[in-house]
């Protein structure tokens, strides 16, 4: 029998196309070590950023259904591309069975309420930037903000392949960041959950003259706040996490070890057999 909705010992579901969501998972784990995580990386379909909204929606629903087989109390859509095109759909599909959190609203709220940013750059996948979701949501809170969004489609596949902190990543990052569109910004939103992995390189490019936000940390804090407000924080004992991938990749295995100190066993789950 399904456990009651208000059972705080239920796990926390997280998903992304690949390793990007691990930046959010690890930030969540850091501030809520008692929570059991069920992670799904859809490595068989990545990069999501180049795919159609229809495909992204179809995969996101299948993954949400899979996470609900673990009776998750909350699902964190740890991917901007999915959050941009499928958040409302996932929310209405899951209904009151679980709380759904996206990675865009917490960042927009943070930037508007806790910073003095005025001229904001946004980088993300083609899927995210095409929706113009950051500019729309930021401007809905503050009309005076100046927003410049740039699609940076090579970054997620590059990071997924383990290319960061090297010559190749430096060349690609510098090429994108030097585009006229991002000229004169005072802050930059890393609108893809893969990008915290190249944050040090972006900081180096801007020589700390442009503010970067701790997007994973902001989403983790927001998730904690929501669980707390709903009386769903798990104060009980820790349970084993599960990390699923739709296609086993060595890069994913390496990154999971990096984030969770080798304590993780990857499980292969093909939802589309
Ligand atoms: N990490 C994802 C995002 O935040 C998707 C990257 C991709 O698969 O293209 O948009």
């Amino acid at each position: 029998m399904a456990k009651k909705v208000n059972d705080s010992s239920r796990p926390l579901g997280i998903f992304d196309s690949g390793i990007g969501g691990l930046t959010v998972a690890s930030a969540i784990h850091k501030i809520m070590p008692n929570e059991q995580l069920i992670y799904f990386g859809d490595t068989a379909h990545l990069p999501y950023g180049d795919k159609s909204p229809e495909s992204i929606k179809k995969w996101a629903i299948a993954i949400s259904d899979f996470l609900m087989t673990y009776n998750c109390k909350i699902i964190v859509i740890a991917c901007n591309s999915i959050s941009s095109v499928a958040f409302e759909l996932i929310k209405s599909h899951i209904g009151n069975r679980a709380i759904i959190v996206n990675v865009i609203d917490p960042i927009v709220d943070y930037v508007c309420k806790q910073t003095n940013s005025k001229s904001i750059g946004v980088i993300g996948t083609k899927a995210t930037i095409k929706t113009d979701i950051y500019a729309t949501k930021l401007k809905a809170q503050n009309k005076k903000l100046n927003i410049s969004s740039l699609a940076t489609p090579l970054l997620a596949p590059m990071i997924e392949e383990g290319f960061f902190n090297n010559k190749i990543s430096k060349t690609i990052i510098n090429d994108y960041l030097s585009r006229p569109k991002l000229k004169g910004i005072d802050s930059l939103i890393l609108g893809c959950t893969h990008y915290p992995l190249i944050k040090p390189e972006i900081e180096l490019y801007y020589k700390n003259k442009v503010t970067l936000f701790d997007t994973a940390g902001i989403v983790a804090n927001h998730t904690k706040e929501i669980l707390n407000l709903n009386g769903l924080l798990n104060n009980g004992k820790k349970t084993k996490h599960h990390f699923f991938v739709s296609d086993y990749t060595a890069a994913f295995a390496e990154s999971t070890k990096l984030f969770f100190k080798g304590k993780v066993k990857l499980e292969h789950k093909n939802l589309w057999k």
Side-chain angles (χ1 to χ4, degrees):
M1 206 174 77
K3 285 186 196 170
K4 281 212 297 286
V5 178
N6 62 2
D7 180 351
S8 62
S9 69
R10 293 163 66 196
L12 194 154
I14 308 183
F15 73 107
D16 178 44
S17 58
I19 64 172
L22 290 174
T23 59
V24 178
S26 104
I28 285 178
H29 179 63
K30 207 162 140 198
I31 60 165
M32 292 180 278
N34 287 347
E35 300 295 338
Q36 180 193 15
L37 307 182
I38 312 291
Y39 187 93
F40 194 96
D42 191 8
T43 43
H45 293 128
L46 76 88
Y48 269 30
D50 298 344
K51 305 299 184 320
S52 68
E54 291 68 35
S55 298
I56 295 174
K57 284 178 187 166
K58 187 176 76 189
W59 299 328
I61 290 295
I63 298 166
S64 304
D65 282 341
F66 172 71
L67 292 173
M68 286 314 291
T69 63
Y70 282 84
N71 199 22
C72 293
K73 59 187 171 189
I74 190 165
I75 293 179
V76 180
I77 308 170
C79 171
N80 287 263
S81 310
I82 306 171
S83 297
S84 304
V85 303
F87 172 56
E88 294 299 336
L89 177 75
I90 298 168
K91 231 169 76 167
S92 68
H93 179 73
I94 298 297
N96 62 6
R97 291 180 290 150
I99 300 167
I100 310 295
V101 166
N102 70 61
V103 282
I104 295 169
D105 290 324
I107 308 301
V108 167
D109 282 347
Y110 179 88
V111 171
C112 292
K113 293 178 184 144
Q114 320 240 12
T115 75
N116 284 321
S117 301
K118 289 187 176 62
S119 190
I120 305 165
V122 182
I123 54 171
T125 66
K126 280 191 228 166
T128 301
I129 299 303
K130 224 175 173 172
T131 63
D132 213 22
I133 195 158
Y134 276 100
T136 310
K137 287 186 181 247
L138 286 161
K139 280 189 172 278
Q141 292 203 33
N142 182 353
K143 272 205 273 310
K144 288 193 187 134
L145 293 176
N146 196 358
I147 321 289
S148 317
S149 308
L150 179 75
T152 48
L154 286 180
L155 297 182
M158 172 190 95
I159 294 164
E160 195 74 34
E161 274 305 313
F163 282 92
F164 37 95
N165 284 325
N166 66 22
K167 271 204 299 224
I168 293 172
S169 59
K170 189 174 175 197
T171 307
I172 296 175
I173 291 166
N174 287 9
D175 183 279
Y176 279 137
L177 298 182
S178 61
R179 302 274 172 99
K181 202 149 207 190
L182 297 178
K183 216 170 161 229
I185 55 168
D186 56 46
S187 319
L188 180 69
I189 294 178
L190 307 185
C192 172
T193 53
H194 280 71
Y195 301 173
L197 288 157
I198 52 167
K199 194 168 165 223
E201 291 173 85
I202 297 179
E203 270 161 354
L204 208 64
Y205 175 85
Y206 284 120
K207 301 191 175 68
N208 293 325
K209 286 188 185 114
V210 163
T211 306
L212 301 178
F213 310 106
D214 172 20
T215 45
I218 294 167
V219 173
N221 285 334
H222 172 77
T223 306
K224 187 173 182 182
E225 225 172 87
I226 295 282
L227 285 175
N228 194 23
L229 275 174
N230 287 278
L232 286 172
L233 272 176
N234 186 13
N235 298 315
K237 68 172 175 30
K238 294 180 202 171
T239 337
K240 199 172 142 263
H241 304 315
H242 286 283
F243 289 86
F244 294 97
V245 282
S246 50
D247 196 16
Y248 187 90
T249 65
F252 194 100
E254 279 310 306
S255 305
T256 327
K257 270 192 235 148
L258 202 82
F259 282 114
F260 287 87
K261 314 265 177 280
K263 286 179 208 136
V264 170
K265 194 177 135 279
L266 270 192
E267 297 168 63
H268 185 206
K269 181 84 197 165
N270 185 357
L271 301 177
W272 295 275
K273 263 195 279 221

Coordinates of all heavy atoms in Angstrom, one line a residue, residues 245-273:
V245 N 20.6 5.4 -14.6 CA 20.8 6.1 -15.9 C 20.1 5.2 -17.0 O 20.0 4.0 -16.9 CB 22.3 6.1 -16.3 CG1 23.0 7.3 -15.5 CG2 23.1 4.8 -16.0
S246 N 19.7 5.9 -18.1 CA 19.0 5.1 -19.1 C 20.0 4.5 -20.1 O 19.7 3.6 -20.8 CB 18.0 6.0 -19.9 OG 18.7 7.2 -20.3
D247 N 21.3 5.0 -20.0 CA 22.3 4.4 -20.8 C 23.6 4.5 -20.0 O 23.9 5.7 -19.5 CB 22.5 5.1 -22.2 CG 23.3 4.3 -23.1 OD1 23.5 3.0 -22.9 OD2 23.7 4.8 -24.2
Y248 N 24.3 3.5 -19.8 CA 25.5 3.6 -18.9 C 26.6 4.3 -19.7 O 27.0 3.9 -20.8 CB 26.0 2.2 -18.5 CG 27.1 2.2 -17.5 CD1 26.8 2.2 -16.2 CD2 28.4 2.2 -17.9 CE1 27.8 2.2 -15.2 CE2 29.4 2.3 -17.0 CZ 29.1 2.3 -15.7 OH 30.1 2.3 -14.7
T249 N 27.1 5.4 -19.1 CA 28.3 6.0 -19.7 C 29.4 6.2 -18.6 O 29.1 6.4 -17.5 CB 28.0 7.5 -20.2 OG1 27.6 8.3 -19.1 CG2 26.8 7.5 -21.2
A250 N 30.6 6.0 -19.1 CA 31.8 6.1 -18.2 C 31.8 7.5 -17.5 O 32.1 7.6 -16.3 CB 33.1 5.8 -18.9
A251 N 31.5 8.5 -18.3 CA 31.6 9.9 -17.8 C 30.6 10.1 -16.6 O 30.9 10.7 -15.6 CB 31.2 10.9 -18.9
F252 N 29.4 9.5 -16.8 CA 28.4 9.6 -15.7 C 28.9 8.9 -14.4 O 28.9 9.4 -13.3 CB 27.1 9.0 -16.1 CG 26.0 9.4 -15.2 CD1 25.1 10.4 -15.5 CD2 25.8 8.8 -14.0 CE1 24.1 10.8 -14.7 CE2 24.8 9.2 -13.1 CZ 23.9 10.2 -13.5
A253 N 29.5 7.7 -14.6 CA 30.0 6.9 -13.5 C 31.1 7.7 -12.8 O 31.1 7.8 -11.5 CB 30.6 5.6 -14.0
E254 N 32.0 8.3 -13.5 CA 33.1 9.1 -13.0 C 32.5 10.3 -12.2 O 32.9 10.6 -11.0 CB 34.0 9.7 -14.1 CG 35.0 8.7 -14.6 CD 35.8 8.0 -13.4 OE1 36.4 8.8 -12.6 OE2 35.8 6.8 -13.4
S255 N 31.5 11.0 -12.8 CA 31.0 12.2 -12.1 C 30.2 11.9 -10.9 O 30.3 12.6 -9.9 CB 30.1 13.0 -13.1 OG 30.7 13.3 -14.2
T256 N 29.5 10.7 -10.9 CA 28.8 10.4 -9.7 C 29.8 10.2 -8.5 O 29.6 10.6 -7.4 CB 28.0 9.1 -9.9 OG1 27.6 9.1 -11.3 CG2 26.8 9.0 -9.0
K257 N 30.9 9.5 -8.9 CA 31.9 9.2 -7.9 C 32.5 10.5 -7.3 O 32.7 10.7 -6.1 CB 33.1 8.4 -8.5 CG 32.9 6.9 -8.4 CD 34.2 6.2 -8.8 CE 33.9 5.2 -9.9 NZ 35.0 5.0 -10.8
L258 N 32.7 11.5 -8.2 CA 33.2 12.8 -7.9 C 32.3 13.5 -6.9 O 32.8 14.0 -5.9 CB 33.3 13.6 -9.2 CG 34.2 14.8 -9.3 CD1 35.6 14.2 -9.6 CD2 33.8 15.7 -10.4
F259 N 31.0 13.5 -7.2 CA 30.1 14.2 -6.3 C 29.7 13.5 -5.0 O 29.5 14.1 -4.0 CB 28.7 14.5 -7.1 CG 28.8 15.6 -8.0 CD1 28.7 15.4 -9.4 CD2 29.0 16.9 -7.6 CE1 28.8 16.4 -10.3 CE2 29.1 17.9 -8.5 CZ 29.0 17.7 -9.8
F260 N 29.7 12.1 -5.1 CA 29.2 11.4 -3.9 C 30.3 10.4 -3.4 O 30.0 9.4 -2.8 CB 27.9 10.6 -4.3 CG 26.7 11.6 -4.4 CD1 26.4 12.2 -5.6 CD2 25.9 11.8 -3.3 CE1 25.4 13.1 -5.7 CE2 24.9 12.7 -3.4 CZ 24.6 13.4 -4.6
K261 N 31.5 10.8 -3.6 CA 32.7 10.2 -3.0 C 32.7 8.7 -3.1 O 33.0 7.9 -2.1 CB 32.8 10.6 -1.5 CG 32.6 12.0 -1.2 CD 33.9 12.7 -1.1 CE 33.7 14.2 -0.9 NZ 33.4 15.0 -2.0
G262 N 32.4 8.2 -4.3 CA 32.6 6.7 -4.5 C 31.6 5.8 -3.8 O 31.6 4.6 -3.9
K263 N 30.6 6.4 -3.1 CA 29.6 5.6 -2.4 C 28.4 5.2 -3.2 O 27.5 4.7 -2.7 CB 29.1 6.4 -1.2 CG 30.2 6.5 -0.1 CD 29.6 7.3 1.1 CE 30.7 8.0 1.9 NZ 30.3 9.3 2.2
V264 N 28.5 5.4 -4.5 CA 27.3 5.2 -5.4 C 27.5 4.1 -6.4 O 28.5 3.9 -7.0 CB 27.1 6.5 -6.1 CG1 26.0 6.4 -7.2 CG2 26.7 7.7 -5.2
K265 N 26.4 3.3 -6.4 CA 26.4 2.2 -7.5 C 25.4 2.6 -8.5 O 24.2 2.9 -8.2 CB 26.0 0.9 -6.8 CG 26.3 -0.3 -7.6 CD 26.0 -1.6 -6.8 CE 25.2 -2.5 -7.7 NZ 23.8 -2.3 -7.8
L266 N 25.9 2.8 -9.8 CA 24.9 3.2 -10.8 C 24.1 2.0 -11.2 O 24.5 0.9 -11.4 CB 25.7 3.6 -12.1 CG 26.2 5.0 -12.2 CD1 26.7 5.3 -13.6 CD2 25.0 6.0 -11.9
E267 N 22.8 2.3 -11.4 CA 21.9 1.3 -11.9 C 21.4 1.6 -13.3 O 21.0 2.8 -13.5 CB 20.7 1.1 -10.9 CG 21.1 0.7 -9.5 CD 20.1 0.9 -8.5 OE1 19.0 0.2 -8.6 OE2 20.3 1.6 -7.5
H268 N 21.4 0.6 -14.2 CA 20.9 0.9 -15.5 C 19.4 0.6 -15.7 O 19.0 -0.5 -15.3 CB 21.7 0.0 -16.5 CG 21.5 0.2 -17.9 ND1 21.6 -0.7 -18.9 CD2 21.0 1.3 -18.6 CE1 21.3 -0.2 -20.0 NE2 20.9 1.0 -19.9
K269 N 18.7 1.6 -16.1 CA 17.3 1.4 -16.3 C 16.8 2.0 -17.6 O 16.8 3.2 -17.8 CB 16.6 2.2 -15.1 CG 15.1 2.0 -15.1 CD 14.6 0.7 -14.5 CE 13.2 0.4 -14.9 NZ 12.9 -1.0 -14.6
N270 N 16.5 1.2 -18.5 CA 16.0 1.7 -19.8 C 14.5 1.7 -19.8 O 13.8 0.7 -19.8 CB 16.5 0.8 -20.9 CG 16.1 1.3 -22.3 OD1 15.4 2.3 -22.4 ND2 16.6 0.6 -23.3
L271 N 13.9 2.9 -19.8 CA 12.5 3.1 -19.7 C 11.8 3.0 -21.1 O 10.6 3.0 -21.2 CB 12.1 4.4 -19.1 CG 12.6 4.8 -17.7 CD1 12.2 6.2 -17.3 CD2 12.1 3.8 -16.7
W272 N 12.7 2.9 -22.1 CA 12.1 2.9 -23.5 C 12.4 1.7 -24.3 O 12.7 1.8 -25.5 CB 12.7 4.2 -24.2 CG 12.2 5.4 -23.5 CD1 11.0 6.0 -23.8 CD2 12.8 6.2 -22.5 NE1 10.8 7.1 -23.0 CE2 11.9 7.2 -22.1 CE3 14.0 6.0 -21.8 CZ2 12.2 8.1 -21.2 CZ3 14.3 7.0 -20.8 CH2 13.4 8.0 -20.5
K273 N 12.4 0.6 -23.6 CA 12.8 -0.7 -24.3 C 11.7 -1.1 -25.4 O 10.6 -0.8 -25.2 CB 12.8 -1.8 -23.3 CG 14.3 -2.1 -22.9 CD 14.4 -3.4 -22.1 CE 14.0 -3.2 -20.7 NZ 14.4 -3.5 -19.6

